[in-house]
């Protein structure tokens, strides 16, 4: 998992952009690579891509704001995707959203102050039988309840802390 | 290939592939539009120009500005079906742009329903998100604005809502906007648009305002010539004076 607060330089982004031919159609591919590398699209991205392929900055910005997979703000080390599709919604996804707010003090679309978590509301992850479903990074959690939620979050917090030895003192055991 | 179609009972001739709105206008029929502009390519997004086409037993509603005529059809520009759907389209547009007097007027004129169950966007909104300004900016200006975000958060804006470094203040966007939703403030010296203020350039001879300094400079780079410093009238005069002596007195 990349560090969200990594100092991104224009050279880093240029290196990514140069992997692609200078053609309009590669704008999205470059942005996806930058997103993967830095966990968000820092402001200079648009200027760099503009210089590389010629598409106006405003149009690139529009592209970036259209796709949910691209983010203008740094994402947390752990991305929580809370499903709010029909089945999950009926089975209390909104409650879980409140539970996550209580545990991490973040709303959907935000990242926690320690940079460990960010929360996204998604519309169906295709496992409705397990509703309500929550996906953290690549791990699926089915039939999540308000009772099981804190343990799942704590597990990921612990894993991140072991990796980075940072932010551990803010651990919340709900 | 030439085709004969009937519009509200009148026989009109057109070429195959011509857009229906164009044919109707040429033949004196009025079809209301919002997102259509004669100088910019068709967008077909406001859906106000819908008409009914009857072909044999079948009847269908089409968007006339992007409907190419390819066979002999019978067109009804103001049938009951068209009126009802156009009214509904306008009623929905009014939910997007509740503060637009143009949309309000059209709603009244075309008998749009009220739709009290739908919540309108922000009270002061006049933008119907047709994207005509974005197109104008891309073609005439520098592509400084675009449709940002999506769904109910969609809006026309500059990147990060910050004054754009690439905007040249030409105000083409404001000029094509059907609902007058883009704010331009202008006095004798300055023009403010999209959060930036531009200095205006006046004609060297008569003092008429040409455009912003940036727009004049941009036009010069397109023509690969030095920036213009005369208004069209004075330029004509200048050229005329140069010619006066050419053919003798």
């Amino acid at each position: 998992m990349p560090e969200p607060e990594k100092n991104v330089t224009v050279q880093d982004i240029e290196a990514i952009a140069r992997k692609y031919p200078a053609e309009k159609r590669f704008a999205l591919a470059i942005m996806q690579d930058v997103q993967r590398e830095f966990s968000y699209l820092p402001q200079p991205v648009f200027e760099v891509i503009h210089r590389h392929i010629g598409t106006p900055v405003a149009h690139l910005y529009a592209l970036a704001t259209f796709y949910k997979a691209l983010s203008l703000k740094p994402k947390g080390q752990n991305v929580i995707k809370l499903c709010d599709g029909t089945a999950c919604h009926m089975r209390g996804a909104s409650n879980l959203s409140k539970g996550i707010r209580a545990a991490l003090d973040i709303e959907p679309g935000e990242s926690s102050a320690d940079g460990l978590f960010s929360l996204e509301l998604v519309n169906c992850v295709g496992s409705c039988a397990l509703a309500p479903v929550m996906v953290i990074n690549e791990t699926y959690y089915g039939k999540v309840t308000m009772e099981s939620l804190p343990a799942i979050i704590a597990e990921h917090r612990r894993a991140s802390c072991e990796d980075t030895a940072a932010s551990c003192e803010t651990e919340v055991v709900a | 290939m030439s085709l004969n179609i009937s519009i509200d009972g009148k026989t009109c001739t057109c070429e195959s592939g011509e857009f229906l709105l164009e044919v109707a206008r040429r033949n004196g029929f009025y079809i209301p539009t919002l997102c259509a502009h004669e100088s910019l390519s068709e967008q077909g997004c406001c859906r106000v120009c819908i008409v009914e086409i009857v072909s044999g037993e079948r009847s269908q509603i089409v968007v006339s500005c992007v409907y190419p005529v390819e066979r002999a059809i019978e067109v009804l520009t103001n049938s009951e079906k068209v009126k009802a759907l156009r009214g509904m389209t306008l009623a929905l547009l009014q939910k997007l742009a509740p503060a637009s007097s143009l949309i309000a007027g059209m709603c009244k004129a075309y008998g749009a329903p009220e739709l009290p169950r739908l919540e309108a966007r922000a009270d002061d909104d006049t933008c119907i998100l047709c994207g005509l300004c974005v197109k104008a900016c891309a073609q005439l200006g520098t592509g400084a604005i675009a449709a940002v975000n999506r769904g109910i958060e969609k809006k026309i804006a500059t990147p990060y809502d910050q004054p754009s470094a690439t905007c040249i203040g030409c105000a083409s966007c404001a000029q094509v906007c059907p609902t007058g939703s883009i704010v331009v403030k202008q006095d004798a010296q300055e023009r403010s648009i999209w959060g930036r203020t531009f200095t205006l350039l006046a004609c060297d001879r008569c003092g008429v305002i040409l455009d912003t300094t940036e727009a004049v400079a941009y036009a010069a780079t397109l023509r690969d010539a030095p920036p213009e410093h005369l208004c069209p009238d004075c330029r004509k005069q200048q050229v005329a004076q140069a010619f006066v002596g050419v053919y003798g007195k």
Side-chain angles (χ1 to χ4, degrees), chain A residues 51-115:
Chain A
R51 279 204 301 268
H52 189 55
I53 63 172
T55 306
V57 169
H59 293 197
L60 295 168
Y61 179 79
L63 196 65
T65 54
F66 182 85
Y67 291 107
K68 284 272 185 283
L70 302 171
S71 165
L72 297 179
K73 284 184 257 165
K75 284 208 175 153
Q77 271 185 52
N78 301 288
V79 179
I80 305 174
K81 288 186 184 139
L82 182 64
C83 181
D84 197 25
T86 312
C88 293
H89 185 82
M90 294 307 291
R91 287 177 169 253
S94 328
N95 264 341
L96 292 179
S97 177
K98 280 182 203 147
I100 292 170
R101 190 198 303 151
L104 301 168
D105 194 26
I106 49 173
E107 298 287 337
E110 292 180 351
S111 302
S112 59
D114 55 15

Side-chain angles (χ1 to χ4, degrees), chain B residues 68-81:
Chain B
V69 181
E70 273 157 350
R71 60 206 152 84
I73 45 170
E74 190 189 325
V75 182
L76 302 170
T77 63
N78 225 2
S79 66
E80 288 307 312
K81 206 168 164 186

Side-chain angles (χ1 to χ4, degrees), chain A residues 11-53:
Chain A
Q11 284 76 24
D12 294 337
I13 305 168
E14 274 170 351
I16 293 173
R18 269 199 303 269
K19 285 186 209 156
Y20 292 90
E23 287 172 42
K24 253 184 169 179
R25 62 196 171 109
F26 292 110
L28 193 56
I30 298 170
M31 285 192 215
Q32 282 178 312
D33 281 6
V34 173
Q35 172 81 40
R36 206 169 297 131
E37 184 71 24
F38 306 111
S39 88
Y40 78 116
L41 299 179
Q43 196 160 351
V45 160
F46 305 114
E47 189 56 44
V48 170
I49 302 179
H50 164 66
R51 279 204 301 268
H52 189 55
I53 63 172

Side-chain angles (χ1 to χ4, degrees), chain B residues 163-235:
Chain B
S164 158
T166 50
C167 178
I168 51 171
C170 66
S172 303
C173 50
Q175 203 179 356
V176 296
C177 179
T179 59
S181 151
I182 297 169
V183 184
V184 192
K185 281 192 191 127
Q186 184 169 326
D187 57 23
Q189 276 90 40
E190 289 178 334
R191 178 188 292 164
S192 298
I193 186 166
W194 294 113
R196 232 180 109 186
T197 303
F198 298 87
T199 311
L200 292 168
L201 214 58
C203 171
D204 274 358
R205 283 197 187 180
C206 66
V208 152
I209 288 170
L210 295 177
D211 211 331
T212 63
T213 314
E214 286 80 356
V216 171
Y218 180 72
T221 60
L222 292 184
R223 286 184 292 120
D224 198 17
E228 190 58 66
H229 55 92
L230 295 176
C231 69
D233 283 350
C234 292
R235 196 170 58 232

Side-chain angles (χ1 to χ4, degrees), chain B:
Chain B
M1 193 185 71
S2 250
L3 278 173
N4 280 329
I5 63 170
S6 141
I7 304 180
D8 290 345
K10 182 187 170 189
T11 307
C12 307
T13 311
C14 67
E15 290 302 311
S16 173
E18 247 187 303
F19 287 132
L20 188 48
L21 177 67
E22 228 175 289
V23 181
R25 284 203 169 155
R26 192 172 60 226
N27 285 281
F29 291 97
Y30 177 74
I31 297 174
T33 57
L34 285 170
C35 74
H37 193 281
E38 54 192 1
S39 308
L40 298 164
S41 59
E42 295 73 16
Q43 312 205 93
C45 64
C46 76
R47 317 309 260 193
V48 172
C49 68
I50 49 170
V51 295
E52 185 174 1
I53 59 172
V54 186
S55 170
E57 295 277 287
R58 279 183 67 222
S59 133
Q60 69 182 119
I61 295 287
V62 299
V63 179
S64 66
C65 72
V66 288
Y67 183 82
V69 181
E70 273 157 350
R71 60 206 152 84
I73 45 170
E74 190 189 325
V75 182
L76 302 170
T77 63
N78 225 2
S79 66
E80 288 307 312
K81 206 168 164 186
V82 168
K83 277 190 214 162
L85 285 168
R86 189 175 283 154
M88 179 56 80
T89 303
L90 284 163
L92 291 169
L93 286 173
Q94 198 182 21
K95 295 292 172 187
L96 267 181
S100 164
S101 54
L102 173 77
I103 304 286
M106 287 175 84
C107 278
K108 215 171 153 198
Y110 292 98
E114 285 286 328
L115 309 182
R117 288 172 64 200
L118 289 183
E119 206 177 310
R121 223 160 47 140
D123 286 344
D124 57 347
D125 232 318
T126 54
C127 175
I128 56 163
L129 293 170
C130 66
L132 205 55
C133 52
V134 175
K135 200 170 242 181
C137 189
Q139 288 183 20
L140 301 163
T142 52
I145 49 170
V148 171
N149 297 328
R150 68 170 176 185
I152 54 169
E153 289 164 348
K154 188 168 160 183
K155 61 172 180 179
I156 306 295
T158 52
Y160 297 94
D161 283 321
Q162 294 296 311
S164 158
T166 50
C167 178
I168 51 171
C170 66
S172 303
C173 50
Q175 203 179 356
V176 296
C177 179
T179 59
S181 151
I182 297 169
V183 184
V184 192
K185 281 192 191 127
Q186 184 169 326
D187 57 23
Q189 276 90 40
E190 289 178 334
R191 178 188 292 164
S192 298
I193 186 166
W194 294 113
R196 232 180 109 186
T197 303
F198 298 87
T199 311
L200 292 168
L201 214 58
C203 171
D204 274 358
R205 283 197 187 180
C206 66
V208 152
I209 288 170
L210 295 177
D211 211 331
T212 63
T213 314
E214 286 80 356
V216 171
Y218 180 72
T221 60
L222 292 184
R223 286 184 292 120
D224 198 17
E228 190 58 66
H229 55 92
L230 295 176
C231 69
D233 283 350
C234 292
R235 196 170 58 232
K236 233 183 245 173
Q237 255 176 39
Q238 194 189 38
V239 174
Q241 264 159 16
F243 272 103
V244 159
V246 172
Y247 298 111
K249 295 204 166 78

